[in-house]
Amino acid sequence: MPYFDAASAAPLHPVARQALLAALDDGWADPSRLYREGRKARMLLDAAREAAAEAVGCRADELTFTPSGTRAVHAGVSGALAGRRRTGRHLIVSAVEHSSVLHSAEVFETEGGAVTQVPVGRTGAVEVGSYEAALRPDTALACLQSANHEVGTVQPVAEVAEVCRTAGVPLLVDAAQSLGWGRVEGGWSLLTASAHKWGGPAGVGLLVVRKGVRFAVQGASDERESGRAPGFENLPAIVAAAASLRAVRAEAEQEAVRLRELTARIRARVPELVEDVEVVGDPERRLPGIVTFSCLYVDGETLLHELDREGFSVSSGSSCTSSTLTPSHVLKAMGVLSEGNVRVSLPAGAAEGDVERFLAVLPGVVAGVREKLGAPVPTATVHAAEVVVDSLGKRCPIPVIELAKVIGTVPVGGRVRVLSDDEAARLDIPAWCEMRGQEYEGEEKAERGTAYLVRRLS
């Protein structure tokens, strides 16, 4: 069964498996003890730290192993903010950061800190000038991912790091998605990553704090991992994480070329094979294995289930796969279509034949989902050149389907007023207008929900 969700968790690399099994035999003792078994464990831990530091491009004593990438982010953000408390209580993040960064920002805000969220364009990238404009005299820390986890867009980290360095502000980089492909360039100050993203075992994160960066560990600590990750080290997993990082880096250059060709094929052919599709993310500045697209008039959760039945494991940022029924914060920040969203993230070694079979299966799956959903007869009231569509209580993609069905009933220049109480409509109706060449006039408060105004241009 083709596994196309490597951006969530990459399959365990063979080198990681070998290292893990070997370390279970030799690395079970306490590395802080001086007897023979402890010294052997310490040697394994030191070697793993050296290997990981070489891959990151930092000193070994700057790198801490944490119980997860999320824990690395939380510790890095809180420690850097606490270390620079005298400077101020202002934090900068991008609107498309991983939820672990945004959750850290929320906690900081509830504790009285100020947070500036830098917007992104339709490709998902930040503008360097936006970070520069967000900097203030009381800015304690800025955060920016190296590449986006949902759409694959690579961020201008080196340029933002230089802007921050000039202002004397440390930059924390979440490198979870990109570290397996190469070092993060630029003068960043802190870096986090997670082993399960590059084919290492789950439960190992990296936190790098450059020398000279003010940092104060928050919460209870002990003598392990410089006090930044208390508790007994999971040494076998750490050894496997470091070994697999070195192994995937050795393969990265050649594999990147191959995966870029496969994802470029998906980006080009999906719109040819399936009508009413928007491919999102930067077409050039992107990670090798990720491609994301959204399909109009499709329930994202149903689409993923149908693809699973056909043997393909993919993920989604669609609002319809969320328990909160709200769009992915990444797609929302980009202002792109969220309904029927599919993220294909190819693991190393993904077969060309599997990609071709996915492209062969996709059109029929999308058509089947659209047929199952049908086109509900909209509740419509005609007022001269205006049609009011009552989609209250209906979830994505029904409001957009109903809009599409009635747009032709008003004359050119006429208007459709869509009433909806679904948060996804705020994103998907403007996206539909852009895709279909109609004019989105904005929104108005309604007695219930919101009225979205669309003028027919063609």
Side-chain angles (χ1 to χ4, degrees), residues 436-451:
R436 306 298 291 184
Q438 308 299 344
E439 181 183 355
Y440 178 65
E441 293 187 326
E443 62 181 70
E444 295 177 352
K445 278 199 167 186
E447 185 175 344
R448 287 180 56 211
T450 303

Side-chain angles (χ1 to χ4, degrees), residues 52-233:
E54 192 277 332
V56 171
C58 68
R59 292 170 38 155
D61 58 356
E62 294 174 330
L63 187 147
T64 298
F65 291 110
T66 66
S68 68
T70 295
R71 186 71 189 95
V73 167
H74 292 171
V77 172
S78 64
L81 288 170
R84 285 175 49 82
R85 188 178 287 111
R86 290 185 179 180
T87 299
R89 300 275 288 160
H90 178 232
L91 169 67
I92 302 173
V93 300
S94 84
V96 294
E97 293 300 310
H98 187 269
S99 58
S100 60
V101 174
L102 298 182
H103 291 160
S104 292
E106 289 171 6
V107 170
F108 179 61
E109 205 164 21
T110 61
E111 294 173 346
V115 177
T116 296
Q117 200 170 94
V118 176
V120 298
R122 285 187 68 83
T123 66
V126 302
E127 293 288 342
V128 178
S130 298
Y131 261 80
E132 189 169 21
L135 290 166
R136 305 186 333 200
D138 63 338
T139 301
L141 177 68
C143 300
L144 179 62
Q145 60 191 192
S146 55
N148 187 258
H149 50 291
E150 286 194 26
V151 299
T153 297
V154 172
Q155 301 288 1
V157 170
E159 295 87 342
V160 171
E162 179 59 25
V163 165
C164 291
R165 186 196 64 78
T166 301
V169 174
L171 177 68
L172 183 150
V173 177
D174 171 17
Q177 287 298 336
S178 73
L179 193 61
W181 296 109
R183 291 182 178 180
V184 177
E185 301 299 328
W188 48 266
S189 303
L190 302 98
L191 181 142
T192 62
S194 188
H196 74 280
K197 300 289 189 179
W198 66 67
V204 179
L206 303 183
L207 169 61
V208 179
V209 181
R210 295 284 200 191
K211 291 296 181 183
V213 175
R214 292 186 176 275
F215 192 91
V217 176
Q218 299 301 287
S221 63
D222 58 29
E223 71 281 1
R224 297 181 187 275
E225 292 301 305
S226 304
R228 292 172 183 167
F232 199 95
E233 297 94 342

Side-chain angles (χ1 to χ4, degrees), residues 263-277:
T263 52
R265 191 182 308 180
I266 296 172
R267 287 181 65 88
R269 289 183 58 188
V270 165
E272 296 173 356
L273 296 169
V274 182
E275 291 184 353
D276 298 317
V277 164

